[in-house]
Amino acid sequence: MVFSFRKRASAEEGSPASTSSREAAETTGVDALDTLKHFEEQHKLDPNLPIEELRTVDAVLATGNVEKGVQIETTLVEENSPYPEVAAAVRNYDVDLPANTIRAWVIGLVLCTVGSAVNMLFSLKNPSVSITTYVIQLVAYPIGLLWDMVFPDRQFNVLGVKFNFKPGKFNFKEHVIIVVMSNHFGWGFQLLFGITTLCTGYGLAGLGRRFLVWPAAMIWPSDLVNASLFYALHDHSPSDPTKSNGWSISRYRWFLYVMGGAFVWYWFPGWIFQGLSYFTFICWAAPKSVTVNKIFGGLHGYGILPTTLDWTVVSGYALSPLIPPFHAVANTVAGVLIFFVVVSMGLHFSGHWYADYFVVQSSSAFDNTGAVYNVSRILSEDLVFDEEKYHNYSPLFLSTQFAIAYGLSFASVAAVIVHVALYHGKQLVSQFKLARRQEDDVHMKLMRKYKDAEDWWYLVLFAVMIGLSFAVVCAWPTGFPAWAYVVCMLLPLVWTIPIGIVQAITNIQLGLNVLSEFIIGYMLPGHPLAMMMFKNYSYICMSQALYFSQDLKLGHYMKVPPRAMFWSQLVASVWSAMVQIAVMNWALGTIPNICADDQPDNYTCPNGRVFFTASVIWGAIGPARMFSGDAIYSSLQWFWLVGAATPVITWFLARRAPRSMFRFFRSINMPLVFGGSGMLPPATSYTYLCWGTVGLIFNYFIKRRWNGWWLQYNYITSAALDCGLIIATIIIFFTLYLTSARLPKWYGNYDVFDTLDQTGMAIKTFVADGETFGPTSWP
């Protein structure tokens, strides 16, 4: 039987005259129990649904209490979201406000242009800075208010076309349109390549709405932060102290206080006392001890004592730990402790993979002298892989953490497919059949008043972008054959939904970057440009699809008409690609010595350099020489099997667990255990342990002890901390770094960095000049 929430009959439909009121009540009660039965089947293994609510449903079903069943169904399903976080952050009613307005489009396109241009330009600089969604959300608010002061609320009529520059006060639905437009940040080749990557992802996002946007279980925690901030900016009313542990301060005022405090504080770790970032005081006490710096070092070591006073370190890679639910934080930190601390220590201190010659962690690859791998020594003059040069030079070595990270990447992409099939398979089949008629929760019900953006719109967009992508790979000499493009598109088609489900539930996105490098490296070894294109069309396309899905869910929560969302996102995607490519070409043609190591203004293109180096290494050397046969890291291939097998074990345990252990077993998420720490490297175990510590404090202790406060202020606190940090970072960057100002010269800015960990020299054994280590022959 296909799952469908019961719809209440409208007043016009009424009941047949032959049906008594008692029979009608009994029918309603039976329908309610049937709804709850299906609700329990669908959500039994949902870690975000409070266990108390699930037990309440189980008790009603066990007793068959019809009256109680109607009450629970109304409370749990029809009146509000069954998830307390969503119920607290998102309103369960709609307000008729204009969204698709001239005001929203003009402000949105202006901020899209400025944001895309600035982000593109400063991505070429080291250090770089970026304008994020929160900055756009903050900046758009006073601009919208200023617009209201300038333009009259008057309808104009030009050649029969009626329009109004100010259709009422600037509202949160227009604010949402502006933010989603600003959230996407040779000419012919570049333009088509950029647009097709973005818009193919958008087409995928639209086609996946029934799986990733419409179901109530897909909560997308980051959207709850944005929703809280939208409401706080547009509604300054005080909180109800009976619902927030006695606090009555408005969320708007609390946001301003916390943002101001975060702004002021960041000047200390950001400029005045930079030692507060990696506050590894044990390493300061023993700066030249290799063992101490390996164990307690935060930059190149294990960071066993995670003490930081810098929000950048906490949220810089894994984002704010206040956003993901506690079970997501716990699974991720468990994976870090098991693999990147316990297993890694065993491998590293035993000298496995020649670990004595390297630091514990580094994002670089090394040669057999311990130096950073010199890619130019294995390439011909045409930048093509030269096997003779490769064998005369060195095999490629990785730090212990980097090698384990590759193994965990293999495990996570295998685990996510099996996990989603077992835990969400029935729901996916049901959602595919029901489309927009599925799970009639309160937000889906409210969205039915608006005309939907049809599936065929997204399908046509997707098909057109596929056609243009074939033109890109075939019309230019890229070395990327059309058949390889077909293979690369299979990756986002297969993995977008499973990875999206995990992200929608946990706020953590698993990456396809390693898998894409792995596949193209086997298919087309020795083709670095093909590697870059394959990675762009597979991994980045999927990543963009998930960003778009997140924006669509935000529009769903804020009750923005779907067709307005479709056109605003599509137009902004094309326009932002054009702006970024224009700025990039201007910079490459105007800035002297751009991308050179000694560029005087530090326009060294750090992101592009890392992307290119990875593409050359994996496109030239290829994964076969790294992970197959007698290769140094061939044992990591076992992680594929481990990743596929472990979700089966946890699923079985969750279904058979005794009542006392059910909460624990249903919260185990093996894709997160393997892949939740996917930003490591360049993130470190230290940054993840700091992130997990803050997540434990807020999402476990505070949530359990002061649940009312947490529901009212947690997400707005997260937004405020991020906004304060971003604003301080931008000001410090433009006023101090760009003016070449010098840091205050004292112990907290200089001497604290003179440790073996910070200098990357916590190495047990060094190679003498003229000598090498490792195998004498290699594949």
Side-chain angles (χ1 to χ4, degrees):
M1 180 178 179
V2 175
F3 175 57
S4 177
F5 280 107
R6 175 176 58 82
K7 291 187 178 181
R8 295 195 182 280
S10 63
E12 293 83 356
E13 291 173 341
S15 300
S18 59
T19 303
S20 68
S21 59
R22 181 177 179 180
E23 290 173 333
E26 289 176 354
T27 301
T28 301
V30 171
D31 288 344
L33 291 178
D34 188 55
T35 297
L36 291 179
K37 179 181 178 181
H38 288 290
F39 181 87
E40 193 271 346
E41 291 175 353
Q42 296 269 330
H43 295 273
K44 184 175 182 179
L45 298 180
D46 184 348
N48 286 327
L49 187 71
I51 195 73
E52 295 78 15
E53 293 186 0
L54 194 60
R55 287 172 178 168
T56 300
V57 172
D58 288 340
V60 170
L61 294 175
T63 60
N65 188 328
V66 173
E67 183 178 347
K68 186 70 172 176
V70 173
Q71 179 185 348
I72 295 299
E73 186 223 15
T74 301
T75 303
L76 196 60
V77 176
E78 297 194 359
E79 290 186 350
N80 213 330
S81 171
Y83 302 95
E85 298 87 348
V86 178
V90 183
R91 293 173 179 172
N92 61 341
Y93 59 90
D94 187 21
V95 182
D96 286 324
L97 295 170
N100 195 21
T101 65
I102 294 175
R103 176 170 51 197
W105 276 89
V106 171
I107 297 175
L109 284 175
V110 168
L111 292 180
C112 175
T113 304
V114 174
S116 298
V118 171
N119 282 351
M120 182 70 250
L121 180 62
F122 284 100
S123 71
L124 305 175
K125 191 174 179 65
N126 188 24
S128 62
V129 68
S130 63
I131 295 178
T132 67
T133 302
Y134 293 123
V135 174
I136 297 297
Q137 199 167 351
L138 281 178
V139 170
Y141 181 63
I143 293 177
L145 298 182
L146 180 62
W147 180 289
D148 287 353
M149 295 171 63
V150 173
F151 291 96
D153 186 354
R154 173 187 168 191
Q155 189 174 71
F156 295 89
N157 191 330
V158 178
L159 300 176
V161 178
K162 297 180 180 180
F163 58 90
N164 190 338
F165 288 110
K166 180 189 171 185
K169 292 176 60 178
F170 179 58
N171 65 76
F172 63 82
K173 292 191 179 185
E174 293 174 294
H175 206 161
V176 173
I177 292 290
I178 293 168
V179 169
V180 298
M181 290 179 73
S182 308
N183 200 22
H184 318 291
F185 302 127
W187 261 77
F189 170 74
Q190 293 171 341
L191 193 61
L192 284 176
F193 192 39
I195 291 174
T196 52
T197 302
L198 280 172
C199 293
T200 303
Y202 188 35
L204 271 178
L207 295 174
R209 288 173 300 164
R210 67 190 66 199
F211 308 111
L212 299 178
V213 177
W214 296 336
M218 302 295 105
I219 64 175
W220 291 95
S222 281
D223 283 341
L224 303 181
V225 178
N226 288 112
S228 298
L229 183 53
F230 280 126
Y231 290 135
L233 291 175
H234 291 268
D235 181 3
H236 302 172
S237 59
S239 300
D240 183 354
T242 63
K243 297 180 179 179
S244 52
N245 296 108
W247 283 49
S248 60
I249 184 174
S250 70
R251 293 199 293 180
Y252 176 71
R253 181 171 293 184
W254 175 251
F255 170 80
L256 294 179
Y257 288 162
V258 176
M259 182 179 69
F263 171 82
V264 171
W265 174 253
Y266 184 67
W267 285 81
F268 288 92
W271 188 257
I272 299 170
F273 184 3
Q274 294 191 341
L276 294 173
S277 295
Y278 287 86
F279 197 65
T280 51
F281 54 87
I282 295 180
C283 294
W284 302 351
K288 302 305 178 183
S289 169
V290 172
T291 303
V292 168
N293 279 263
K294 281 181 181 288
I295 294 175
F296 296 99
L299 192 60
H300 293 99
Y302 288 106
I304 292 302
L305 193 63
T307 50
T308 182
L309 295 172
D310 183 358
W311 187 246
T312 304
V313 173
V314 174
S315 64
Y317 291 104
L319 305 182
S320 170
L322 278 64
I323 302 175
F326 174 68
H327 66 84
V329 175
N331 277 284
T332 300
V333 173
V336 171
L337 291 174
I338 293 169
F339 294 104
F340 288 113
V341 177
V342 177
V343 173
S344 177
M345 279 189 172
L347 293 171
H348 187 83
F349 288 109
S350 67
H352 195 62
W353 293 328
Y354 305 98
D356 290 344
Y357 298 94
F358 312 117
V359 291
V360 171
Q361 169 163 330
S362 173
S363 300
S364 300
F366 301 95
D367 62 19
N368 53 13
T369 67
V372 174
Y373 203 87
N374 187 348
V375 176
S376 64
R377 291 187 60 177
I378 63 171
L379 299 177
S380 66
E381 294 180 358
D382 299 325
L383 299 180
V384 176
F385 177 70
D386 188 318
E387 188 166 0
E388 183 179 354
K389 286 186 175 182
Y390 168 68
H391 285 290
N392 289 334
Y393 177 37
S394 168
L396 188 142
F397 295 92
L398 303 174
S399 67
T400 305
Q401 302 288 60
F402 205 169
I404 292 175
Y406 272 101
L408 293 179
S409 296
F410 301 157
S412 67
V413 294
V416 71
I417 294 291
V418 179
H419 175 90
V420 169
L422 293 173
Y423 285 75
H424 305 278
K426 290 182 180 179
Q427 294 95 311
L428 290 177
V429 174
S430 173
Q431 289 154 7
F432 179 78
K433 292 178 179 179
L434 291 173
R436 208 166 194 252
R437 300 187 305 277
Q438 64 184 276
E439 293 198 22
D440 200 8
D441 75 318
V442 63
H443 301 296
M444 190 71 184
K445 188 184 300 181
L446 292 169
M447 287 298 287
R448 292 190 188 282
K449 65 185 286 187
Y450 302 109
K451 288 184 178 180
D452 191 25
E454 303 294 342
D455 280 346
W456 69 265
W457 293 11
Y458 291 100
L459 186 60
V460 168
L461 175 65
F462 183 70
V464 169
M465 290 303 121
I466 292 290
L468 289 176
S469 299
F470 272 113
V472 169
V473 300
C474 295
W476 280 271
T478 61
F480 187 50
W483 63 265
Y485 173 74
V486 174
V487 174
C488 91
M489 284 310 300
L490 292 176
L491 269 67
L493 285 173
V494 171
W495 268 276
T496 295
I497 299 301
I499 290 178
I501 288 175
V502 172
Q503 183 177 355
I505 292 172
T506 68
N507 201 56
I508 296 172
Q509 184 182 122
L510 308 176
L512 281 182
N513 52 328
V514 171
L515 181 64
S516 61
E517 293 169 348
F518 197 81
I519 292 175
I520 189 64
Y522 274 107
M523 290 198 316
L524 293 171
H527 292 75
L529 180 56
M531 159 74 77
M532 286 190 280
M533 294 189 68
F534 190 96
K535 189 173 180 179
N536 213 64
Y537 273 125
S538 55
Y539 163 57
I540 296 180
C541 176
M542 183 212 71
S543 182
Q544 288 296 329
L546 295 180
Y547 280 123
F548 282 124
S549 296
Q550 184 170 306
D551 283 348
L552 288 172
K553 187 68 175 189
L554 179 61
H556 187 82
Y557 279 149
M558 306 301 291
K559 317 301 179 295
V560 177
R563 295 190 175 189
M565 289 289 293
F566 175 86
W567 288 112
S568 61
Q569 286 185 292
L570 178 60
V571 171
S573 298
V574 175
W575 179 245
S576 67
M578 295 172 65
V579 170
Q580 289 184 0
I581 291 166
V583 172
M584 181 182 69
N585 279 274
W586 172 84
L588 294 175
T590 305
I591 299 176
N593 299 321
I594 189 169
C595 295
D597 287 331
D598 56 352
Q599 207 284 329
D601 296 315
N602 290 320
Y603 284 98
T604 58
C605 312
N607 297 322
R609 189 181 298 272
V610 171
F611 196 88
F612 172 76
T613 301
S615 298
V616 168
I617 288 175
W618 300 113
I621 296 177
R625 294 185 175 91
M626 291 289 298
F627 302 108
S628 297
D630 297 327
I632 297 173
Y633 303 101
S634 60
S635 58
L636 292 174
Q637 295 273 24
W638 286 103
F639 274 94
W640 295 103
L641 180 60
V642 172
T646 47
V648 178
I649 299 172
T650 58
W651 177 76
F652 179 81
L653 291 174
R655 291 175 63 86
R656 298 291 186 269
R659 187 181 182 90
S660 60
M661 295 294 291
F662 176 70
R663 186 199 297 263
F664 170 75
F665 282 114
R666 78 161 184 165
S667 298
I668 298 176
N669 187 316
M670 293 312 298
L672 280 192
V673 173
F674 295 129
S677 54
M679 291 301 295
L680 194 158
T684 67
S685 55
Y686 174 84
T687 58
Y688 270 102
L689 292 176
C690 291
W691 175 84
T693 301
V694 177
L696 174 69
I697 293 170
F698 275 88
N699 292 345
Y700 185 79
F701 292 114
I702 293 179
K703 186 178 181 181
R704 286 165 64 94
R705 178 63 180 84
W706 299 286
N707 185 253
W709 184 95
W710 190 93
L711 290 172
Q712 186 72 6
Y713 297 105
N714 178 71
Y715 291 130
I716 209 70
T717 301
S718 177
L721 290 170
D722 285 341
C723 289
L725 169 65
I726 293 165
I727 295 172
T729 301
I730 291 174
I731 292 177
I732 290 173
F733 181 82
F734 282 103
T735 61
L736 298 176
Y737 280 107
L738 288 189
T739 59
S740 300
R742 300 193 64 179
L743 290 170
K745 193 168 184 179
W746 71 292
Y747 177 86
N749 278 338
Y750 289 91
D751 294 358
V752 295
F753 298 113
D754 188 22
T755 65
L756 294 181
D757 173 63
Q758 288 291 329
T759 57
M761 298 300 289
I763 299 171
K764 180 180 179 181
T765 306
F766 290 90
V767 178
D769 290 340
E771 295 184 358
T772 61
F773 62 86
T776 55
S777 62
W778 51 89

